[in-house]
Amino acid sequence: MFEARLIQGSLLKKVLEAIKDLVTDANFDCSATGFSLQAMDSSHVALVALLLRGEGFDHYRCDRNISMGMNLNNMAKMLKCAGNDDIITIKADDEGNTVTFMFESPNDEGNTVTFMFESPNQDKISDFEMKLMDIDSEHLGIPDTDYASTVKMPSAEFARICRDLSTIGDTVGISVTKDGIKFSTAGDIGNANVTCRQNKTVDKVK
Amino acid sequence: MDGNKRRAAYGQQQQQQGGGAGPPQKRPYSSSNNNGVSASYGNGRGGGPPPSMPPQRHLEEEDDYDEDVFLEETLLRDAEMAEEGREVAERMAKWRRPQLPPTDRTKDSILFQQLDIDYVVGEADKEWLPSRGQAAIIRMFGVTENGNSVCALVHGFEPYFYITCPPGFGPDDVESFRRLLNDLMREHNKAKHGCSVFVAAVSMVTRQSLLYFQKTKQRTFLKIVMTLPAYVAACRDILERGIQISGLGYQSFTTFESNVLFALRFMIDCNIGGGSWVELPPGSYRFKSQQLSYCQYEVDVMYDKIISHPSAGRYGKLAPVRILSFDIECAGRKGHFPEPEHDPVITIASLVTLQGEQRPLVRNVLTLKQCSPIVGAEVMSFETERDLLLAWRDLIREVDPDLMIGYNICNFDLPYLIDRAQTLKINEFPFLGRIRFSKLRMRDTTFSSKAYGTRESKEVTIEGRVQFDVLQAMQRDYKLSSYSLNAVSAHFLGEQKEDVHHSIISDLQNGTPETRRRLAVYCLKDAYLPQRLVDKLMYMYNYIEMARVTGVPFSFLLARGQSIKVMSQILRKARQRGMVVPALKVQGGSQDSSYEGATVLEANQGFYEKPIATLDFASLYPSIMMAHNLCYCTLVRKEDVSSLPLESVEKTPTGDIFVKPHLEKGILPEILEELLAARKRAKADLKLATDPLEKAVLDGRQLALKISANSVYGFTGATIGKLPCLEISASVTGYGREMIMHTKKLVQERYCIGNGCEHDAEVIYGDTDSVMVKFGVSCIEDAMKLGKEAADFISSTFPKPIRLEFEKVYYPYLLISKKRYAGLLWTKPEKYDKMDTKGIETVRRDNCMLVKNLVNECLHKILIERDIPGAVQYVKNTITDLLMNRMDLSLLVITKGLTKTGEDYQVKSAHGELAERMRKRDPATAPSVGDRVPYVIIKAAKGAKGYEKSEDPIYVLENNIPIDAQHYLENQLSKPLLRIFDPILKNASKELLHGDHTRSVSIATPSVGGMMKYAKKRRSCMGCKAPLADEDNTLCSHCQGREVELYHKCVTKVRDLEETFGRLWTQCQRCQGSLHQDVLCTSRDCPIFYRRKKAQKDLAEADAQLSRFQF
């Protein structure tokens, strides 16, 4: 049995909006620590690693580790139906021995996940059931690495720079010096460089 | 020199070979005495016979004598020929043609089957034609019944053509006209020749023009005889432009029959068909005192003495033609296709077969550097390429093949040999023809035809030997997805062939005699396969028969299009009738000259579970032409219509007027009648024939007759052809359309409930020459009865010989749309014959095998097993397999030909881009221009272009790159599937493409790609896939109890894979012909290859899994 109640429902909506363009199908792994997802995009250049810790949920129960394969587009469609301040509950039954028992109970609980949305004043409850997929994929681990440099910057700023540069060229080169970080690209119409100086407000280079 | 060593090697292999190399009774030297021959050589030429000589010594001495004469001549030229070279020549001598029987020119006639006809310009024969200077001498090459080669030099035949005689031109003007024309020709040609006589003679003859019906039958024409064939065109130009004739003023002329090739002209006038038997009666011929050719008989003869035999009875047979099938291998450099400027020829395999015999007479491999012996073949090794090439030239001379076949020889092997010899400055190499001292000529040609498309090729002229490139024949006669020798032999012979990539060839060559042996075996196989294809497809019979039926030389059949065949028949027929064929100027295919084609009735889409009867018109277009007397010479000009009585003309549906047969019988209908009558005879004979060879000939003939009859219509409609006449072709299709509509109307009117039938008949579909009728009865027998009745009834409403035939019933029948249907075909009520599909299998080349297999299997289930749910389930399972990445990769491979390099493609294409990428990875194995590129579609970033998603299948296998299953589902499978299932199922798309079965997918983790340089695979529980905290464990705590079960599963899996791989590996070893060596083959056309690769990889993975248990 897996059950997780998230008060701040919009969080899940936002997260899903962000990743659904990168990844189409993925396994959500539920364990005692939390609700996590790890997948690569289809061209294998981006790895999405998502972890919603158990502590972050209002109620979190996970009897045993289970993997739930979902089509993220379909999931996003359902989450669109939730209001921004709704409370989302994710529920799934664990089917124990999938291999041996699947034929006897092929439908319903076993391969569906239920989302429950409650509006804060408790006057509306809707539940959606989604068929799960059986996704056979391998787990990837990211080895601990010593990084030569670490840069922290506002994500909005980073997104902006990338968006701007993408109008000039296809690829962006990132170089980091003591003074700051430089993004550069070149294309048919010319080339572009954006340099962000290191500043004190956000700390940087290790 | 290692001559001794090599000789020892020969001896050894001769023994191994045993008597396998051919029928000893026919050859004076059986292979078993080869040792004797080479041993005796060492004794010197004049030496006595060694003690162990077999009893055929007598024959040998005669041969030796001949050989001496020959050798002396060659020795003069190749004085420096080394001892070992002569030894090789000695070995080759045993492949000679049989001895000439004693021939007395006053008593014996020479009878031979001619295969090739050409002409040369030379001094006219002094004895027979004393007053001529230069003249064209026709050469006929052929083979006698005994297998002796003949070269007949035909004298006295002169090129000519006709023009209309201008009014007021009398017999007295003839000579002055000739002189005038001659002067004009001299002016035109003055720079070139010192020759003064161009126009040999002009005479007045009565003929009739082929084009348009004429009431006055006989008109006067001028026959202009030229001295040389080349002058015909020039003279025609002068006449067409117009000349000033004293007394008659300025006139331009239309010429007749001026565009007939000289050799064909000769054949037509002497009534010689292609590949037919020709007799030179006693006393008519003269042996040459000094032979110019390598033929056994070389005779002079006057053209009017030749007797041509019609191809029937004794003269229907084929002479024991010698067919040489060969293949060469070159040592290319890494990353380049072999180029004659750099890369040596290292192996040449030659097989010589006598037509009609099962086993080849000669199996020979010439190799560069020493090579281990091969069972059943003769290996000759040479130290230098020069010796190798010259040995092959000698081999050709000795075996003297009439026909040279091979795979892509015209565009690769022959030009390569010639260019290579030129690079090495071996000037004595390119003399492979039958004429002494005549060098091979090579030029680039472009062959373009509506039916066969445009092809660029090299043309190598080998005098007296016909070339037959099996590749070209394949491209012409069959639509295949790949024309590689491997694919073609897999298709027709049902066997795969080892494919050694050209980048490995050099490594093999530079290895040991053992590796060179592999190469030699490979090369031999490549030489053997074309021969087998020719045998299997009965090319010799079919093509010879085609040449006989249409009367064109054998070599025209491959080198030229359809129109020359029809033209040859028209010319022959016209000659009999005293008609002349106008030489029309070729109009550059104008757009407005198209006409309406055949009708296709609207298809009533659906799945019919009642028998559908099919009524066909037998040879529709030919019979229309016959029934309505459509021909060039029956077509009435608009201005002449009024002068003809109304009852003797017929107006066609397109408004053209043709006269009825009693006024003038058309030539085309007559040709067609003869062709169809001959076909009927051939078919009747075929039923009686018992001898398999005779059967083959007759079957080839009836096929050739059918094709020829059908191509007559096309000839009249070919606007860039020799003699287009759209009035005819448009009328033909017009009648065809009328007849289909008429049939439809008649069927539906007659077979309806109102007329006492049980059901209303319905015409559900009709195309060009057939209609499909649903009579409504549910029993096949009834449908057949009704079908026969209807066919007879409707036939009676059409003029003869148009006949509607009932042939078959489809039951059940799946009609998808126009030109697309499938059905189970019944010709007798007891059992179905086969599944018949049209337009469905999607033989299109840009489809992968998966589509074809799936569609076939579905149709099989639907039509034969009548199991629609089963078909649906099958589709679902296949789609699941595809999504789960369990599909055999070879089924997903798409191939496309690479016609130009990446930069030259205007639009980026999947295969072009891939070739470019592969070149960057490894230039050695990348496909080059001309190769077919196989690829699969892989997953790529969102919005990636199609051409970015192609990948080399082998690379995909090796790196576990995920296949874009969705792409295959949407772009390849969905359309053909929905086409089939839409008439059967409701909501087919939802049911098949979006059901529960699509919810199991597998996402492969590749071993290349940006992120994979960084991320590591993490082990998960082998039972439930949950990630493991401790990576050394095999199972998570939950699955711990199932350890034994899972271990057992794992072991079984490894064992199964081991077995699969073992089987595949052995299969490939069998294919390469050795169970002791590694498999080198990388044939991208072979499904086994991908399965082998995949099994190998899966096995490695499963093995790694197993080792995790650490037991």
Side-chain angles (χ1 to χ4, degrees):
Chain A
M1 183 72 178
F2 170 74
E3 232 175 32
R5 189 161 185 268
L6 187 64
I7 305 281
Q8 208 185 340
S10 61
L11 180 79
L12 192 63
K13 288 181 66 165
K14 278 186 196 154
V15 165
L16 210 67
E17 276 307 305
I19 57 177
K20 78 170 195 321
D21 283 340
L22 278 173
V23 182
T24 51
D25 304 305
N27 277 326
F28 281 88
D29 298 310
C30 314
S31 67
T33 29
F35 184 65
S36 68
L37 170 146
Q38 188 203 58
M40 270 198 289
D41 79 318
S42 49
S43 58
H44 320 300
V45 289
L47 182 82
V48 177
L50 165 75
L51 173 62
L52 300 173
R53 287 186 201 284
E55 301 91 81
F57 291 92
D58 172 44
H59 164 74
Y60 189 88
R61 174 182 162 195
C62 181
D63 299 347
R64 55 158 299 185
N65 292 359
I66 51 171
S67 271
M68 297 187 293
M70 293 192 222
N71 179 301
L72 298 191
N73 274 316
N74 294 343
M75 186 176 170
K77 274 183 205 161
M78 292 193 169
L79 288 181
K80 275 223 177 87
C81 306
N84 274 341
D85 34 359
D86 280 3
I87 300 160
I88 297 180
T89 307
I90 309 169
K91 276 202 277 194
D93 277 336
D94 51 44
E95 322 125 90
N97 292 337
T98 340
V99 191
T100 32
F101 285 108
M102 212 166 127
F103 293 111
E104 282 175 40
S105 57
N107 56 358
D108 291 345
E109 279 90 19
N111 52 10
T112 58
V113 61
T114 313
F115 299 96
M116 280 175 63
F117 311 136
E118 300 165 45
S119 43
N121 47 4
Q122 305 280 313
D123 59 357
K124 185 170 129 198
I125 297 179
S126 35
D127 65 81
F128 288 77
E129 221 173 66
M130 189 175 79
K131 288 179 182 164
L132 285 180
M133 295 178 73
D134 177 11
I135 300 172
D136 178 18
S137 65
E138 278 184 278
H139 260 275
L140 294 173
I142 293 151
D144 288 329
T145 319
D146 282 330
Y147 298 103
S149 60
T150 308
V151 179
K152 270 191 189 166
M153 66 187 291
S155 59
E157 183 58 25
F158 181 56
R160 164 95 207 252
I161 290 170
C162 289
R163 196 165 50 244
D164 289 351
L165 294 186
S166 73
T167 59
I168 313 284
D170 290 337
T171 52
V172 58
I174 301 177
S175 55
V176 181
T177 59
K178 289 274 181 216
D179 306 324
I181 179 166
K182 187 170 134 192
F183 301 86
S184 51
T185 187
D188 294 339
I189 55 167
N191 45 28
N193 296 298
V194 177
T195 311
C196 299
R197 285 200 195 291
Q198 179 186 346
N199 67 37
K200 300 288 183 281
T201 51
V202 188
D203 55 74
K204 54 96 236 171
V205 182
K206 195 173 80 177
Chain B
M1 286 278 107
D2 59 348
N4 285 328
K5 210 159 94 196
R6 195 176 318 130
R7 196 178 303 169
Y10 286 156
Q12 196 185 347
Q13 113 223 355
Q14 289 308 336
Q15 277 153 13
Q16 283 176 346
Q17 181 185 357
Q25 72 275 12
K26 283 228 169 183
R27 320 294 316 151
Y29 299 110
S30 75
S31 46
S32 57
N33 67 2
N34 284 334
N35 285 330
V37 175
S38 46
S40 78
Y41 200 80
N43 294 342
R45 184 164 292 262
S52 66
M53 205 36 86
Q56 289 122 320
R57 184 62 199 160
H58 183 64
L59 272 173
E60 260 168 42
E61 259 167 356
E62 280 180 15
D63 246 18
D64 268 353
Y65 176 73
D66 274 358
E67 188 180 300
D68 278 357
V69 175
F70 169 70
L71 271 181
E72 254 156 37
E73 204 186 304
T74 12
L75 281 176
L76 284 178
R77 243 179 302 139
D78 313 320
E80 75 281 19
M81 209 188 204
E83 161 82 6
E84 57 189 289
R86 273 190 276 144
E87 180 196 320
V88 166
E90 183 84 6
R91 310 190 74 82
M92 289 175 175
K94 68 176 185 294
W95 298 324
R96 295 250 179 93
R97 285 179 180 273
Q99 278 254 276
L100 272 188
T103 315
D104 183 344
R105 61 174 287 242
T106 55
K107 290 203 203 93
D108 299 314
S109 59
I110 298 180
L111 178 69
F112 66 98
Q113 185 184 16
Q114 48 81 22
L115 289 167
D116 195 15
I117 295 187
D118 63 358
Y119 74 91
V120 282
V121 174
E123 263 330 284
D125 194 89
K126 296 246 164 36
E127 189 186 320
W128 287 329
L129 304 160
S131 59
R132 292 280 156 76
Q134 294 250 301
I137 302 166
I138 289 172
R139 296 185 301 203
M140 282 200 284
F141 296 94
V143 188
T144 67
E145 238 168 346
N146 288 334
N148 298 120
S149 55
V150 181
C151 170
L153 301 170
V154 183
H155 299 272
F157 189 77
E158 289 172 317
Y160 63 88
F161 63 99
Y162 300 95
I163 56 170
T164 43
C165 183
F169 192 89
D172 305 338
D173 305 323
V174 166
E175 183 52 28
S176 62
F177 182 73
R178 187 193 74 79
R179 249 179 276 132
L180 171 73
L181 210 51
N182 202 31
D183 290 345
L184 286 169
M185 281 296 289
R186 186 179 309 140
E187 215 169 279
H188 185 78
N189 267 336
K190 67 179 159 229
K192 291 180 207 156
H193 302 272
C195 178
S196 61
V197 187
F198 295 92
V199 184
V202 175
S203 56
M204 289 173 77
V205 287
T206 18
R207 292 283 190 272
Q208 186 191 339
S209 171
L210 176 72
L211 202 52
Y212 302 120
F213 174 71
Q214 284 134 9
K215 274 203 274 185
T216 40
K217 293 279 174 226
Q218 302 299 327
R219 290 218 189 154
T220 313
F221 283 80
L222 294 179
K223 177 178 179 180
I224 300 172
V225 182
M226 309 300 292
T227 47
L228 291 179
Y231 299 152
V232 170
C235 191
R236 179 185 65 196
D237 287 347
I238 291 173
L239 286 166
E240 276 174 355
R241 248 180 275 131
I243 55 172
Q244 185 75 36
I245 305 170
S246 54
L248 294 171
Y250 189 83
Q251 288 217 326
S252 66
F253 297 86
T254 319
T255 60
F256 291 82
E257 308 199 356
S258 57
N259 52 358
V260 183
L261 296 165
F262 184 57
L264 192 62
R265 175 90 267 168
F266 161 74
M267 291 173 73
I268 290 166
D269 287 11
C270 292
N271 211 5
I272 297 172
S276 69
W277 289 84
V278 166
E279 186 173 341
L280 311 179
S284 68
Y285 58 91
R286 201 174 55 194
F287 288 111
K288 276 270 183 209
S289 52
Q290 204 178 5
Q291 289 219 338
L292 282 174
S293 74
Y294 292 107
C295 290
Q296 289 171 300
Y297 284 115
E298 186 173 327
V299 294
D300 286 314
V301 65
M302 280 300 281
Y303 83 97
D304 46 1
K305 299 276 174 35
I306 298 170
I307 304 172
S308 166
H309 293 284
S311 306
R314 181 187 169 200
Y315 304 116
K317 294 217 174 73
L318 298 193
V321 171
R322 287 183 162 222
I323 306 169
L324 167 81
S325 179
F326 74 99
D327 184 49
I328 66 169
E329 298 301 333
C330 319
R333 294 147 296 145
K334 295 270 179 211
H336 296 275
F337 195 73
E339 286 166 11
E341 289 76 29
H342 309 283
D343 305 311
V345 174
I346 49 175
T347 312
I348 307 179
S350 323
L351 260 101
V352 182
T353 317
L354 281 180
Q355 171 55 38
E357 294 205 1
Q358 296 298 316
R359 303 186 66 115
L361 183 72
V362 178
R363 282 198 241 188
N364 175 282
V365 194
L366 307 175
T367 63
L368 191 63
K369 304 257 163 51
Q370 213 195 324
C371 168
S372 306
I374 299 166
V375 181
E378 228 170 308
V379 184
M380 296 181 180
S381 306
F382 302 89
E383 283 309 308
T384 65
E385 225 184 317
R386 181 192 173 83
D387 289 345
L388 173 77
L389 290 175
L390 289 178
W392 194 66
R393 181 202 64 182
D394 293 341
L395 182 139
I396 296 264
R397 276 195 201 157
E398 291 296 333
V399 299
D400 188 25
D402 302 295
L403 191 65
M404 293 171 77
I405 65 171
Y407 212 76
N408 202 14
I409 47 168
C410 290
N411 276 330
F412 179 71
D413 299 52
L414 283 172
Y416 196 95
L417 286 171
I418 293 170
D419 287 341
R420 185 65 191 158
Q422 200 171 9
T423 310
L424 295 175
K425 301 206 171 51
I426 311 175
N427 296 327
E428 56 277 40
F429 176 75
F431 295 88
L432 301 173
R434 276 181 163 164
I435 301 299
R436 284 164 206 252
F437 316 119
S438 162
K439 207 170 163 180
L440 299 185
R441 294 182 299 273
M442 186 162 72
R443 62 192 181 93
D444 294 327
T445 57
T446 323
F447 172 87
S448 157
S449 139
K450 244 188 189 161
Y452 307 128
T454 306
R455 289 201 306 257
E456 279 178 22
S457 59
K458 288 214 160 48
E459 191 178 295
V460 180
T461 313
I462 304 183
E463 285 158 316
R465 307 193 204 280
V466 183
Q467 297 161 46
F468 184 87
D469 193 329
V470 181
L471 172 66
Q472 285 177 8
M474 288 293 158
Q475 285 175 334
R476 226 170 215 241
D477 298 348
Y478 300 94
K479 285 255 171 292
L480 299 177
S481 61
S482 164
Y483 288 103
S484 70
L485 182 53
N486 183 21
V488 169
S489 39
H491 188 261
F492 291 107
L493 304 173
E495 60 182 62
Q496 294 286 344
K497 157 190 117 69
E498 187 189 16
D499 187 17
V500 179
H501 195 267
H502 52 76
S503 59
I504 315 178
I505 288 180
S506 300
D507 299 339
L508 289 176
Q509 172 66 14
N510 297 333
T512 62
E514 214 36 59
T515 62
R516 283 192 285 274
R517 177 183 178 278
R518 285 197 78 169
L519 205 55
V521 171
Y522 170 69
C523 188
L524 254 177
K525 185 147 193 196
D526 276 8
Y528 187 40
L529 284 172
Q531 176 68 48
R532 288 195 47 200
L533 284 168
V534 166
D535 289 346
K536 172 92 182 180
L537 300 173
M538 310 230 279
Y539 263 129
M540 276 306 283
Y541 298 106
N542 294 353
Y543 270 64
I544 290 271
E545 283 304 324
M546 180 58 95
R548 284 174 173 173
V549 165
T550 55
V552 298
F554 189 82
S555 55
F556 279 23
L557 295 179
L558 270 190
R560 291 164 163 275
Q562 287 286 352
S563 67
I564 189 87
K565 298 189 218 164
V566 182
M567 192 65 184
S568 151
Q569 293 173 74
I570 292 176
L571 284 167
R572 278 164 200 263
K573 198 85 223 164
R575 197 181 132 79
Q576 285 174 14
R577 290 268 206 99
M579 289 183 167
V580 288
V581 181
L584 297 183
K585 273 260 167 69
V586 176
Q587 300 126 2
S590 44
Q591 261 78 34
D592 56 319
S593 59
S594 64
Y595 55 93
E596 201 182 333
T599 0
V600 182
L601 294 180
E602 203 51 56
N604 272 354
Q605 201 196 52
F607 181 58
Y608 294 89
E609 296 196 77
K610 285 193 172 164
I612 304 293
T614 310
L615 307 177
D616 287 304
F617 285 104
S619 352
L620 177 72
Y621 288 172
S623 59
I624 289 176
M625 290 170 97
M626 286 188 279
H628 300 282
N629 199 32
L630 306 180
C631 180
Y632 298 100
C633 62
T634 59
L635 175 62
V636 184
R637 259 183 291 210
K638 288 268 181 300
E639 59 266 32
D640 298 340
V641 175
S642 51
S643 65
L644 288 165
L646 220 67
E647 65 275 10
S648 55
V649 295
E650 188 174 338
K651 196 168 180 181
T652 68
T654 47
D656 300 301
I657 314 277
F658 289 87
V659 298
K660 294 212 163 149
H662 64 270
L663 273 187
E664 173 90 61
K665 181 107 169 84
I667 280 193
L668 296 180
E670 214 171 297
I671 291 174
L672 290 168
E673 265 162 37
E674 282 175 20
L675 287 173
L676 294 180
R679 179 164 182 234
K680 226 180 210 168
R681 271 203 309 279
K683 273 182 140 177
D685 290 350
L686 184 64
K687 277 195 187 126
L688 298 176
T690 45
D691 178 26
L693 287 182
E694 197 186 338
K695 271 192 174 168
V697 172
L698 288 171
D699 195 43
R701 181 176 302 164
Q702 69 90 7
L703 197 71
L705 286 163
K706 183 185 165 189
I707 297 170
S708 310
N710 286 332
S711 56
V712 170
Y713 152 75
F715 179 79
T716 62
T719 41
I720 46 168
K722 285 247 166 66
L723 201 60
C725 183
L726 293 185
E727 288 90 343
I728 299 177
S729 44
S731 297
V732 170
T733 54
Y735 276 119
R737 286 194 299 276
E738 237 178 30
M739 282 159 61
I740 288 280
M741 298 312 288
H742 177 74
T743 310
K744 179 180 173 181
K745 203 171 113 236
L746 226 52
V747 169
Q748 293 188 341
E749 272 171 13
R750 188 178 157 118
Y751 295 93
C752 60
I753 298 171
N755 273 353
C757 296
E758 282 171 49
H759 309 272
D760 273 334
E762 189 191 349
V763 173
I764 54 166
Y765 178 57
D767 186 1
T768 321
D769 60 350
S770 61
V771 286
M772 317 281 183
V773 187
K774 187 178 93 178
F775 284 112
V777 292
S778 48
C779 155
I780 293 178
E781 256 171 75
D782 291 347
M784 286 187 167
K785 211 180 89 229
L786 283 171
K788 277 189 197 107
E789 196 187 302
D792 290 341
F793 165 66
I794 294 163
S795 297
S796 66
T797 66
F798 288 119
K800 283 198 170 173
I802 295 175
R803 215 173 71 247
L804 190 63
E805 282 178 345
F806 164 78
E807 261 184 4
K808 57 205 173 190
V809 161
Y810 285 115
Y811 173 60
Y813 185 63
L814 177 64
L815 181 58
I816 293 165
S817 65
K818 281 184 180 183
K819 311 235 175 212
R820 281 184 208 274
Y821 57 80
L824 207 52
L825 192 153
W826 304 66
T827 52
K828 46 189 180 300
E830 297 82 38
K831 193 174 182 327
Y832 65 86
D833 295 64
K834 58 167 184 175
M835 194 168 81
D836 194 23
T837 58
K838 202 179 168 199
I840 294 186
E841 300 110 319
T842 46
V843 273
R844 289 189 48 180
R845 299 159 186 220
D846 47 2
N847 273 327
C848 57
M849 282 289 289
L850 175 67
V851 176
K852 210 170 142 188
N853 289 359
L854 185 63
V855 166
N856 274 341
E857 190 57 36
C858 282
L859 288 176
H860 187 89
K861 283 201 188 311
I862 294 171
L863 299 175
I864 298 179
E865 295 172 15
R866 303 288 198 91
D867 181 10
I868 293 171
V872 172
Q873 195 51 48
Y874 179 79
V875 171
K876 286 185 177 173
N877 289 350
T878 309
I879 289 175
T880 310
D881 281 352
L882 178 68
L883 293 175
M884 290 296 287
N885 201 20
R886 287 191 297 236
M887 196 54 76
D888 181 1
L889 193 67
S890 65
L891 294 177
L892 301 177
V893 175
I894 305 165
T895 50
K896 272 196 185 141
L898 189 65
T899 47
K900 36 202 166 166
T901 52
E903 303 96 65
D904 294 345
Y905 272 104
Q906 292 285 311
V907 186
K908 282 181 176 165
S909 65
H911 58 297
E913 288 296 295
L914 173 62
E916 204 54 44
R917 251 178 286 141
M918 286 170 74
R919 196 161 302 124
K920 278 179 197 147
R921 250 177 243 152
D922 178 11
T925 55
S928 45
V929 176
D931 290 356
R932 288 192 75 83
V933 186
Y935 62 90
V936 290
I937 304 292
I938 54 161
K939 277 195 182 147
K942 215 170 203 171
K945 303 280 187 309
Y947 58 81
E948 288 167 353
K949 295 166 81 170
S950 57
E951 193 47 88
D952 175 18
I954 297 166
Y955 190 73
V956 166
L957 267 185
E958 279 164 359
N959 295 306
N960 204 15
I961 295 172
I963 297 288
D964 191 351
Q966 214 58 39
H967 177 271
Y968 279 95
L969 201 58
E970 279 161 19
N971 299 20
Q972 298 256 334
L973 287 180
S974 74
K975 266 193 204 145
L977 279 179
L978 292 182
R979 245 184 251 136
I980 295 178
F981 282 98
D982 261 341
I984 301 175
L985 285 181
K986 277 181 197 155
N987 280 335
S989 147
K990 213 172 170 184
E991 172 88 23
L992 293 176
L993 304 178
H994 302 289
D996 265 350
H997 58 285
T998 57
R999 261 188 282 280
S1000 282
V1001 299
S1002 157
I1003 299 175
T1005 313
S1007 55
V1008 289
M1011 192 49 73
M1012 291 314 295
K1013 289 194 180 117
Y1014 173 64
K1016 294 269 178 303
K1017 278 185 196 172
R1018 260 181 72 193
R1019 288 176 167 182
S1020 54
C1021 166
M1022 284 177 68
C1024 65
K1025 299 269 177 240
L1028 290 174
D1030 180 3
E1031 295 228 4
D1032 291 336
N1033 281 351
T1034 326
L1035 300 170
C1036 67
S1037 48
H1038 274 275
C1039 298
Q1040 210 56 261
R1042 297 169 57 212
E1043 189 167 23
V1044 176
E1045 178 209 333
L1046 291 168
Y1047 180 71
H1048 181 248
K1049 247 169 82 180
C1050 209
V1051 171
T1052 320
K1053 192 173 166 199
V1054 169
R1055 211 188 50 216
D1056 286 350
L1057 281 168
E1058 270 171 354
E1059 192 186 330
T1060 314
F1061 179 65
R1063 278 167 187 272
L1064 290 166
W1065 182 260
T1066 328
Q1067 169 126 10
C1068 285
Q1069 282 187 318
R1070 290 239 161 79
C1071 178
Q1072 73 174 7
S1074 161
L1075 295 174
H1076 303 292
Q1077 283 157 323
D1078 272 2
V1079 175
L1080 292 176
C1081 173
T1082 53
S1083 166
R1084 283 152 201 254
D1085 283 326
C1086 174
I1088 306 278
F1089 170 67
Y1090 294 108
R1091 280 173 60 190
R1092 172 160 59 88
K1093 278 272 176 191
K1094 172 117 176 151
Q1096 192 171 19
K1097 215 180 111 13
D1098 287 350
L1099 181 59
E1101 256 167 40
D1103 218 32
Q1105 289 258 306
L1106 184 65
S1107 60
R1108 273 177 62 188
F1109 280 99
Q1110 294 175 337
F1111 281 145

